[in-house]
Every structure is written in structure tokens, then in C-alpha cells.
Amino acid sequence: MKKRLFLIIAAVLTVSFSAYAQYDDEYEIVVTDANGNRQEIDIPEAMTFEVDSLLNLYYSKTFLADDANCTTSSSDPEFSEQEYIDRLNRLPHIVPMPYNEVVRKFIDRYTKSGRRSVGYMLAAMNFYTPIFEQALETFGVPLELKYLPVVESGLNPSAVSHAGAAGLWQFMIQTGKRYGLRVNSLVDDRRDPIKSSYAAAELLSDLYRVFGDWHLALAAYNCGPENVNRAIHRAGGSKDYWTIYQYLPRETRGYVPAFIAANYVMNYYCEHNICPMRSTLPEKADTVMVDRDVSFNTISDFCGISMEQLRALNPQYRRDVVNGSSEPSAISLPPAKVLAFIDNQQKIYEQSSSVTFSDNIDNSYYSEPRAYSEPQRSYSSSQRNSYNNSYNSYNKARGKVGSSSRNSYSKASKLSKRHKSSGRWGTKSSSRRKQKTQSVTIKQGETLSSLARKHGTTVKKLQQINGIKGSNIRAGKKLRVK
């Protein structure tokens, strides 16, 4: 009897280990390579973004709604590998769109557990596509890269990663500055959808000039040119992404497959019974330029516009103050409010002159970096019909530094040498790796409270970094503790 019981227990343990070895959790997927080795691949942070947080954004609440005529089914149809291959081949693309096990894993993420998020992002793309395509076209970058912010930020313009990368395109501070984005105590252009899109398009163009391959350019966008160069060296000089794949950081191994999967799902959502949210084109917005400091509170009082809408239309201003005295700055407003601003311009200037920047500080902006599940200010895409004016003014501004495009090869080479100490890559990637190593496997009987005490943190912090709403946790699951 004892021997039989021992065999049963041993069998259960064997099955449990086998299941765990192939278990995909919230933060990683597991695949088996050609040699039968288990590989763990980090999931881009945006793919863990809670859709409930997205739907609380200003423009989501104002301009997006469930479509009463189309309901997303809970079931995802099964298709053959050849069907996936054929669909990817039919996409108009310059960036190669191969199909393999890793790509399939990411497609499944979007079409199964991420169905609700895909519905949101399909509607949000209606707002952002004109901006993305115009910026990419300006720098000669393939238009299918308009889906890169799906991977980077989940199309949340207020997204801030654990490492401090911000905006739709997830720029770190120093890289953003190198590409013309102002980041100081008052302004953060990384949150400006137009300016950040042009900066991202220029950066991608520069990286392609260095590597001559779009997969490698995307990998370098994620982890930095030097990490890609190091992987090429370790792979014996190969410049094929899938050959150097195993030598890249864990997050970057999933980055290109996630991009391919995003292209797939944003085009073939109907085949997977996913419905886009219904979007209504908002009232267009216009822009006024100011050369003095103006407070949002004053604009709100004189123009009859809510602070929430002002912040949504102007997400780049960090302290509810437009610091026009530093350099001429734009304020986006609905057309009727522009007229009110013009009529009351002098009064607005006079009243704003008595306001100091410290009176308008948004303290939440300077707290510790927050995960995607905690959006900060939102951005309303009611700017869509005013973008032509914004493009013109922004193109003129970029024209002043046009030589940077002509010298992009040398610039990207310098980035490759300098990325260790600054920029988008070194800080972000190393931070992700550090966080990933500080995870534990939940044991039977452990609770959030006991784990918080054990690892010197709080229950609230554990809930925050793991996207947990309640207190229920399951033995065998991984939990981030820092």
C-alpha cells in the first residue's frame, strides 16, 4: 500500500513538473528550441496592461464604446499553421513577417487572453494612424511599423514603464532629448503623440541605416545597438535575427515576434471573432501659440474648458503650465475655446503672471515610476483633425536639425557606443532584467501579506507590480517582489 501511494505521489510530482516546465505565465512564454532546450522569453510590458485602466483614459471614456451590433465572442477559432502563414504573407509589408512557434505564442496571447485589449487598440488606432503614418512616411520607414506602439505601450499615450520610459513610443529621457524631445521639469514631449512619433521614425530610420535589416533595427530599438552587435558577434557574424535570437536579452527575443503578432491581429481580428470598440470622430481641435507662461487653471476659468480635457489635449505639460516664455509653445483647444482664448488673451496673460510653477505642480508626476496598470494623464485624440497644422509646424522645427538625418549613420554609431550609460536602452533593459530576477514561486500556504513581510515590501506594492486587484494568489505561480 505504501509503495503504491509513493508511486502515485511520484507520478503527480512528475506531471506537475512537466506542466510547469511548459507553463506560460503573465510575464513570459516558454518555447522549446530546435535542440529540445527550454527557452523563457519575456513578454513586452505593454502586453500585461490591464484593459480596465485603458478604458479609464479620458479619450476612451469620451470617444470609445462597445459596439452594440458586434459582440466579441469568448471563443477563439483554431486554424492550421498554413492559414497563419498565408495570412502573414498577404499583409502588405517590407518588414519580413515569418511564422514560427514564438510568433504563434504571441498571436495566441492577443487572440485569447488579450481579446478585450485588442478591441480597445483597434478603436484607438483610428485616432493614431494618421499621425504614425505621416511620421513614418516622412523618414521613409515602412508603414507597418505603425503597429510598434501596440507592443511598446498598448496605445496608452500616458504609459510609463518600470524603468521610466514614457509615451506611446516609450522613450527614455536621454534618447528623447537626442531626437529633439524636450524633457524638463515643465515639459515632457515624450508624451506628445506627434513629436514622439517623428522622433521614433527618425530613430528607426537611423537604426536601419546601421544594420540594413528591419528585424535587427527593431531589436536595437528595444535593447540598444550594442546588445545587437554583441549578439551578432556571438553568432559568428550572422546578421539574421533568428540566428542571433538566442544571444539577445530575454525581452528582445520576444520583441520582434510580438511585433509580427501585433500586425497579424490588427488585420485579422475578425477571423478570431474580435470586435473593435466603436469610435466616434471627436470635434477637431485647433492650436494657439503663446510666448508667455500661461496656467491651465486660468485657461479653464476664462475659456470654460475642464482641466481634464485641457490635460488630455496637452499631455506634454507636466505642471499645468505652458511655459511660453522659454520658447513659443502650442496649446491645443477645441475651436470654440480658441475663440474664447483670443477674446480673453490679455486677461489670461495677466492672471497667469501671478502664478508660479510650484503652485501648479502635479506631484504624481514625480513619484516613483509606475507600471502600466496605473495610467497617469490621458490624451484625447480630438486633435486628429488639427494634425495638418501641427505637422507643418513640427516639420519646420525638425527642418532646423535636418542634417541629423543626413548624418544618421554616424549618429546611430555614436548611440551604439553611448547607450550603456544613457538613453532608451541600457536603463530600460537592465531594469527589466533586474526585476525579472527578483521573482519568487509562490509556495502552498503563502499569502500576499506573508510574502510582503518576507521580502521587505508591502501588499499594495506587490499588487501594483503584479497587476493583482484582490488578495488571491495561487501556489506554483511566479510573483514579482521588486
Side-chain angles (χ1 to χ4, degrees):
M1 181 67 183
K2 289 183 179 180
K3 182 177 180 181
R4 183 181 178 187
L5 180 61
F6 173 80
L7 291 174
I8 292 174
I9 294 173
V12 170
L13 290 174
T14 301
V15 171
S16 298
F17 177 79
S18 176
Y20 174 74
Q22 296 302 319
Y23 180 72
D24 292 355
D25 69 15
E26 185 180 357
Y27 301 106
E28 66 182 26
I29 65 171
V30 179
V31 296
T32 303
D33 64 21
N35 298 319
N37 298 318
R38 181 177 188 262
Q39 284 194 359
E40 298 175 352
I41 301 170
D42 285 0
I43 290 174
E45 216 168 336
M47 293 186 77
T48 66
F49 201 166
E50 292 183 5
V51 71
D52 290 343
S53 298
L54 286 167
L55 296 178
N56 282 324
L57 297 174
Y58 172 84
Y59 74 92
S60 300
K61 292 186 293 185
T62 308
F63 303 118
L64 301 183
D66 289 323
D67 191 339
N69 299 317
C70 181
T71 303
T72 295
S73 169
S74 59
S75 63
D76 180 28
E78 294 295 326
F79 301 103
S80 67
E81 288 190 359
Q82 191 59 48
E83 286 176 290
Y84 285 106
I85 294 170
D86 291 343
R87 289 173 184 172
L88 286 168
N89 287 337
R90 286 197 297 269
L91 292 176
H93 61 272
I94 293 176
V95 181
M97 300 282 175
Y99 174 86
N100 54 41
E101 181 189 4
V102 187
V103 171
R104 174 62 182 275
K105 286 268 190 177
F106 279 100
I107 289 176
D108 286 346
R109 282 275 173 163
Y110 281 123
T111 60
K112 297 186 186 317
S113 61
R115 298 170 71 79
R116 178 73 167 157
S117 296
V118 171
Y120 158 81
M121 290 188 290
L122 286 164
M125 278 301 292
N126 289 332
F127 300 134
Y128 294 123
T129 293
I131 312 173
F132 297 162
E133 290 185 339
Q134 182 62 50
L136 296 169
E137 185 71 18
T138 298
F139 287 95
V141 175
L143 294 186
E144 55 267 31
L145 288 170
K146 66 187 175 185
Y147 296 123
L148 194 57
V150 169
V151 181
E152 283 289 336
S153 62
L155 293 181
N156 175 9
S158 300
V160 179
S161 76
H162 286 91
L168 288 164
W169 296 88
Q170 290 292 280
F171 274 96
M172 295 293 284
I173 289 178
Q174 294 304 320
T175 306
K177 287 184 175 181
R178 276 199 294 272
Y179 281 84
L181 301 180
R182 295 173 299 167
V183 183
N184 55 50
S185 295
L186 305 178
V187 183
D188 187 350
D189 284 337
R190 297 176 299 166
R191 294 169 177 248
D192 185 313
I194 297 173
K195 292 184 177 181
S196 66
S197 295
Y198 278 90
E202 187 175 6
L203 173 55
L204 287 164
S205 175
D206 287 350
L207 292 170
Y208 180 73
R209 289 174 185 269
V210 172
F211 293 104
D213 179 277
W214 281 112
H215 283 170
L216 297 184
L218 286 172
Y221 188 90
N222 178 252
C223 68
E226 188 156 307
N227 275 325
V228 174
N229 283 329
R230 187 180 296 116
I232 290 172
H233 181 75
R234 289 175 176 171
S238 173
K239 291 191 175 182
D240 174 68
Y241 173 82
W242 302 101
T243 300
I244 72 168
Y245 172 89
Q246 61 183 315
Y247 302 107
L248 292 167
R250 280 176 46 162
E251 179 187 357
T252 309
R253 295 176 203 168
Y255 190 73
V256 171
F259 167 74
I260 295 171
N263 271 266
Y264 173 90
V265 75
M266 298 302 279
N267 284 278
Y268 294 110
Y269 55 91
C270 280
E271 284 77 357
H272 291 268
N273 297 329
I274 298 175
C275 292
M277 295 188 70
R278 180 175 54 84
S279 62
T280 57
L281 284 179
E283 181 183 18
K284 69 178 182 179
D286 287 335
T287 300
V288 294
M289 300 296 296
V290 296
D291 57 5
R292 305 184 196 181
D293 296 335
V294 180
S295 74
F296 278 14
N297 282 320
T298 306
I299 297 173
S300 177
D301 291 342
F302 281 96
C303 299
I305 182 173
S306 70
M307 290 289 286
E308 183 183 25
Q309 188 175 9
L310 263 177
R311 289 167 175 166
L313 287 168
N314 302 274
Q316 67 271 36
Y317 298 117
R318 305 176 76 162
R319 297 192 178 186
D320 293 345
V321 171
V322 183
N323 59 320
S325 61
S326 175
E327 62 179 274
S329 300
I331 307 173
S332 291
L333 297 167
K337 305 305 179 183
V338 169
L339 297 178
F341 184 94
I342 293 172
D343 291 341
N344 295 280
Q345 188 167 355
Q346 196 56 41
K347 294 178 182 178
I348 292 172
Y349 285 157
E350 290 174 357
Q351 185 162 320
S352 294
S353 64
S354 62
V355 178
T356 63
F357 295 137
S358 60
D359 292 332
N360 294 275
I361 187 169
D362 175 7
N363 288 315
S364 65
Y365 220 110
Y366 298 93
S367 60
E368 62 177 308
R370 293 178 287 180
Y372 282 89
S373 58
E374 301 179 74
Q376 300 174 33
R377 291 181 186 170
S378 58
Y379 169 77
S380 168
S381 291
S382 58
Q383 294 189 41
R384 179 176 179 180
N385 292 319
S386 70
Y387 284 146
N388 285 338
N389 290 335
S390 298
Y391 288 142
N392 291 337
S393 61
Y394 188 64
N395 281 334
K396 289 178 181 178
R398 294 303 293 153
K400 296 177 182 177
V401 291
S403 59
S404 62
S405 291
R406 292 188 292 271
N407 296 314
S408 56
Y409 184 94
S410 59
K411 176 195 289 183
S413 297
K414 292 178 181 177
L415 287 180
S416 177
K417 296 176 182 178
R418 293 188 290 175
H419 87 273
K420 283 185 176 180
S421 59
S422 65
R424 170 191 164 77
W425 306 291
T427 305
K428 181 178 179 182
S429 295
S430 62
S431 176
R432 285 294 303 275
R433 287 194 298 272
K434 181 178 179 182
Q435 290 163 358
K436 197 64 185 179
T437 59
Q438 298 189 47
S439 299
V440 297
T441 300
I442 302 169
K443 298 178 182 177
Q444 191 68 36
E446 288 185 319
T447 65
L448 284 178
S449 297
S450 65
L451 286 167
R453 289 193 299 271
K454 182 177 179 180
H455 296 282
T457 184
T458 65
V459 171
K460 184 177 181 181
K461 183 66 175 179
L462 291 179
Q463 290 173 323
Q464 171 187 330
I465 63 177
N466 289 281
I468 300 173
K469 289 186 176 180
S471 58
N472 292 330
I473 56 176
R474 191 174 68 193
K477 288 276 288 183
K478 287 187 177 180
L479 187 80
R480 290 186 178 181
V481 295
K482 285 187 179 180

